Amino acid sequence: MALDELVAKVTDPYERQARLYPALLALLPLLAMVMLLYSPKASALTTIMTIAVSCGGLYLMTNLCRELGKRLEENLFLEWGGKPTTQLLRHRDHTIEAVTKRRYHLFLAAKINEVFPDKDQEAKNPNAADEVYQSGVRWLLNHTRPDDNKKFDFLFKENIAYGFRRNALGMKPIGLILSVGSLLWTLGREDVLFSSARTFIDVAAFWRLSEPATASLIVSTVMVVSWMFFFTKASARTAAFTYAETLLRACDTL
């Protein structure tokens, strides 16, 4: 069974894109190395993957990815100063202009039958104000789930984008270990590191690398760079606040 067939078994778009793909990206350097450098044994790898999927391997991977992402999310919200949607609804936050924010407040207040705090009330008791904002957001979440008409498809896509970056950030330590490990293993196997010439790095051997080894090194290097410079708290924050602002815009749609 090919990898794309295995992935196709996860039919829910959010499960597949936000939870499974980050886990697969973490495994990518290892899978690429095994298939490229040990191709005669690749069929054995395919068999193992098929058995793992049959025994719930993909479900385990998606749950592991989700768990690591959700654990990280709590710390991210603390660092950022609260949930993004809550922050955007605060009077003291100026990301959304005051007129638009007032419209959101009035709409959500009517839906949850609760008066939203004004600027002074928020300053006097910020925790109580946040609870009101979070209640309004909870109502909004419950009424913007994807439907048959794809009314909130744009919101769903932003949610997937945030979930993907958050979960990938949660998988980052594992991804880095596997990427660097695959990189070093390939270099060692090809006699570039700890070579038979008894040198730490054999530059000449590096230039004699086979095409499969070169391809494996490229995959590992690209993933190391991606884990280091793309899957960061900053990129997760960008996606989180984009999703939060898109969610609040649904007040006008509703």
Side-chain angles (χ1 to χ4, degrees):
M1 185 181 294
L3 182 59
D4 55 348
E5 292 176 315
L6 300 180
V7 173
K9 285 184 171 290
V10 182
T11 56
D12 180 76
Y14 187 90
E15 285 281 333
R16 184 172 63 253
Q17 297 178 53
R19 294 174 182 168
L20 178 60
Y21 284 174
L24 290 178
L25 282 177
L27 294 173
L28 177 60
L30 178 62
L31 294 174
M33 182 189 70
V34 171
M35 290 182 173
L36 288 166
L37 302 184
Y38 304 94
S39 53
K41 299 179 182 179
S43 57
L45 175 64
T46 302
T47 302
I48 293 172
M49 291 175 63
T50 303
I51 295 173
V53 170
S54 302
C55 296
L58 288 185
Y59 186 70
L60 174 63
M61 288 174 63
T62 56
N63 272 268
L64 172 65
C65 195
R66 178 184 184 277
E67 180 66 21
L68 293 175
K70 292 298 288 185
R71 288 184 184 181
L72 178 67
E73 185 178 66
E74 296 180 10
N75 294 328
L76 291 177
F77 287 168
L78 286 175
E79 288 183 22
W80 297 342
K83 296 180 179 179
T85 43
T86 302
Q87 292 187 55
L88 294 178
L89 286 173
R90 291 169 180 163
H91 291 283
R92 59 186 184 275
D93 185 277
H94 303 291
T95 304
I96 299 175
E97 61 275 9
V99 175
T100 302
K101 187 179 299 185
R102 189 179 308 117
R103 186 168 71 249
Y104 294 164
H105 281 196
L106 291 173
F107 174 82
L108 293 174
K111 295 300 180 182
I112 66 173
N113 196 28
E114 186 76 30
V115 177
F116 270 46
D118 57 29
K119 189 178 296 186
D120 294 334
Q121 290 170 329
E122 179 187 291
K124 191 174 298 182
N125 196 339
N127 291 332
D130 281 355
E131 288 186 3
V132 176
Y133 301 150
Q134 289 172 19
S135 179
V137 170
R138 191 178 297 276
W139 182 93
L140 198 55
L141 285 169
N142 289 334
H143 289 80
T144 54
R145 300 187 184 282
D147 54 24
D148 294 334
N149 298 322
K150 304 295 182 182
K151 184 177 182 180
F152 297 105
D153 187 54
F154 66 98
L155 179 61
F156 185 53
K157 290 178 179 177
E158 293 295 347
N159 189 24
I160 288 176
Y162 165 60
F164 172 78
R165 295 193 191 184
R166 178 201 67 194
N167 293 337
L169 189 59
M171 292 291 293
K172 185 173 182 174
I174 297 175
L176 271 175
I177 290 172
L178 291 179
S179 296
V180 174
S182 299
L183 188 71
L184 295 177
W185 182 277
T186 302
L187 291 173
R189 181 183 183 275
E190 296 298 311
D191 234 15
V192 176
L193 291 182
F194 309 108
S195 68
S196 55
R198 295 184 179 180
T199 58
F200 178 65
I201 299 177
D202 188 341
V203 178
F206 182 83
W207 295 112
R208 294 193 302 268
L209 285 173
S210 64
E211 289 186 3
T214 301
S216 177
L217 289 175
I218 289 174
V219 172
S220 297
T221 302
V222 168
M223 288 312 304
V224 168
V225 172
S226 298
W227 291 119
M228 290 294 295
F229 300 106
F230 178 71
F231 294 116
T232 62
K233 292 180 181 180
S235 68
R237 188 181 191 279
T238 299
F241 278 84
T242 300
Y243 168 62
E245 193 165 354
T246 306
L247 176 62
L248 293 177
R249 286 177 187 166
C251 291
D252 292 330
T253 304
L254 291 169

